[in-house]
Amino acid sequence: TVALAANWALYHLGQESAAQAIENAALLEDLFAIAALGTLSGHSPVLLKLAQHPHLQVRINAILALLEQNDPAALDKIEEVLI
């Protein structure tokens, strides 16, 4: 969405508060926001929570975002999705 892209750009321009808007969208199951969290440091707890979500696509996006952050917890979660 446009709002998500704007917040992502603002974050990368130095406005740290924009990350909260991205996190809020991710918690509302916005798949693009979940993927965007993978590019932001410090949001692993949210991604770990989403990696346990009942919807498969939410879990996959959260796991991929964790992998992008090189979070070792993603390795445990990816096995659940692939099997």
Side-chain angles (χ1 to χ4, degrees):
T1 65
V2 175
L4 176 61
N7 281 313
W8 187 82
L10 286 170
Y11 175 83
H12 286 286
L13 289 172
Q15 187 174 345
E16 296 287 327
S17 62
Q20 186 61 49
I22 297 170
E23 186 175 298
N24 290 341
L27 288 170
L28 293 174
E29 303 173 13
D30 182 324
L31 298 177
F32 295 110
I34 295 168
L37 280 183
T39 65
L40 311 181
S41 61
H43 295 278
S44 292
V46 173
L47 292 170
L48 286 169
K49 178 181 175 183
L50 291 169
Q52 299 173 8
H53 197 277
H55 293 109
L56 179 62
Q57 193 61 52
V58 171
R59 285 197 315 268
I60 289 172
N61 279 34
I63 292 166
L64 291 174
L66 286 166
L67 284 171
E68 188 170 348
Q69 294 183 351
N70 296 317
D71 189 317
L75 296 176
D76 295 330
K77 301 293 182 187
I78 194 86
E79 185 177 335
E80 297 171 17
V81 176
L82 294 177
I83 294 178

